[in-house]
Amino acid sequence: MALSCPSLFSNLSLMRLCIRTKIITNGYYSHHLSCFSRSSLSRHYSSSSVRRSVGRYVQTRLQRLNSKYESFLKMRFPRFYQLYHTFMEGFKLLFHDAKEVQRIKTKMITSGVQFQDLPYRDMEKLRQVRRDLIKAIPLVLITIPPLANYLVFVMMYFFPRQILIPQFWTPRQQVEFRGVYHSLRARHHWPVIAGLQNTGRRIKEGQLQGRLLDLCAKLQSGQHPAVSEVLAVRGLFSKRALAIKRMKADHMRHISPLLFLTPRLPGFLVGRRLNSHALELLQLDRALARLGPPQLTDSEIREACYLRGINSYGLHINQCREWLSQWLQVSSSLNDRELSLLLHSLVFLSANYPTGSSQLRN
């Protein structure tokens, strides 16, 4: 035994050396080493090929079974099949988004890139995934208790808008649910205009006061204001009564739903969240201006318009591009101290656009 062990280790070392460097000494191996190496390599490659063959066989069988299962569901239970198919596609989208976020985060860490310096699509991806995760976390917590999964599936089936994130909506639900959410935020257009009027009457600068009241009256009459009319009142939204830090809590609570933020928080938290989301929106606008709106796809255009205040899913794509151009004319003229005007532009530019809310006319 003492003599065989060194011999075995010597043979193994020689074999590794020959395989790694691919050198054949004097054109042949010793008979003992050659036989040993051939048998080892034969076993290695035969086992690897067998594993690959088994893996391909199992994968093919699973794909066939899955295809038969989907065909069965599609024929016998079409409504359940639609739900199943939507869930499977949703998980694929969610997995893809997670990979994209990981790539962007790695880029930010390794290259020292700040959020405001990211390309528009990367910036938008981080923003959207963060909002989706915030909505998905409560659902994940519900599934922790034993047997709670069954309750979650029932809730998902009956309350898809409240429970599911957009990746798990059907194309029809995408349009329907966004219409519902837009109608909910459009209810706050009138209170925002009324709050601006009450504040405007207390403003001492006569010229600015007149411009603001004229703008509110134009909105109430159902007219869509020009970009120049919106920018004409910008002086009121930086350091005076309508700056974010000086707005009343009730007024801020009517602005919060315009960005799909909850108003059910203490006043100082509402103001802080509005300020951070307005700054993020301004940074998104700057990144979009650098990219150029013509570079966006139709779906990206609709998403951008929807975020900024209109129900773009009820508009023609050319109307969406025209409206987004107006928005960028306003936002590109603003600085970080005029975030309040950007927030109010969610009402100024969307309230009376073709498919805007009819709340102001009631």
Side-chain angles (χ1 to χ4, degrees), residues 79-122:
R79 293 188 64 183
F80 182 79
Y81 167 76
Q82 186 180 23
L83 183 65
Y84 168 81
H85 180 72
T86 302
F87 268 72
M88 295 302 294
E89 292 300 316
F91 277 116
K92 291 179 183 178
L93 290 174
L94 198 60
F95 181 72
H96 179 267
D97 287 346
K99 291 178 63 177
E100 282 293 300
V101 168
Q102 184 180 11
R103 177 189 65 81
I104 297 169
K105 290 287 188 181
T106 302
K107 175 183 175 181
M108 293 176 67
I109 294 173
T110 56
S111 303
V113 179
Q114 300 297 319
F115 177 81
Q116 62 269 19
D117 298 323
L118 288 172
Y120 172 75
R121 289 187 174 93
D122 290 350

Side-chain angles (χ1 to χ4, degrees), residues 123-230:
M123 196 181 294
E124 173 63 19
K125 180 63 68 176
L126 287 179
R127 185 200 66 83
Q128 186 59 52
V129 171
R130 185 184 70 243
R131 292 183 66 93
D132 291 342
L133 288 178
I134 292 174
K135 185 175 181 179
I137 285 174
L139 183 63
V140 174
L141 294 177
I142 294 175
T143 62
I144 293 177
L147 303 178
N149 293 335
Y150 299 102
L151 174 62
V152 170
F153 278 112
V154 172
M155 293 172 63
M156 287 180 174
Y157 184 80
F158 288 103
F159 307 101
R161 179 173 64 84
Q162 295 84 354
I163 298 297
L164 300 180
I165 56 180
Q167 285 89 338
F168 296 95
W169 293 346
T170 65
R172 180 178 178 181
Q173 288 174 335
Q174 295 273 352
V175 177
E176 178 185 351
F177 294 166
R178 282 184 168 91
V180 172
Y181 282 127
H182 177 74
S183 65
L184 292 175
R185 71 176 171 183
R187 295 176 182 176
H188 297 270
H189 286 169
W190 168 247
V192 170
I193 297 299
L196 287 174
Q197 285 182 315
N198 292 332
T199 304
R201 296 188 183 99
R202 299 194 300 269
I203 295 175
K204 296 180 180 179
E205 294 90 345
Q207 189 175 13
L208 286 175
Q209 180 191 48
R211 290 174 181 173
L212 179 62
L213 294 178
D214 289 344
L215 179 59
C216 293
K218 189 170 187 176
L219 289 168
Q220 287 178 318
S221 65
Q223 301 179 59
H224 182 68
V227 170
S228 58
E229 293 176 302
V230 175

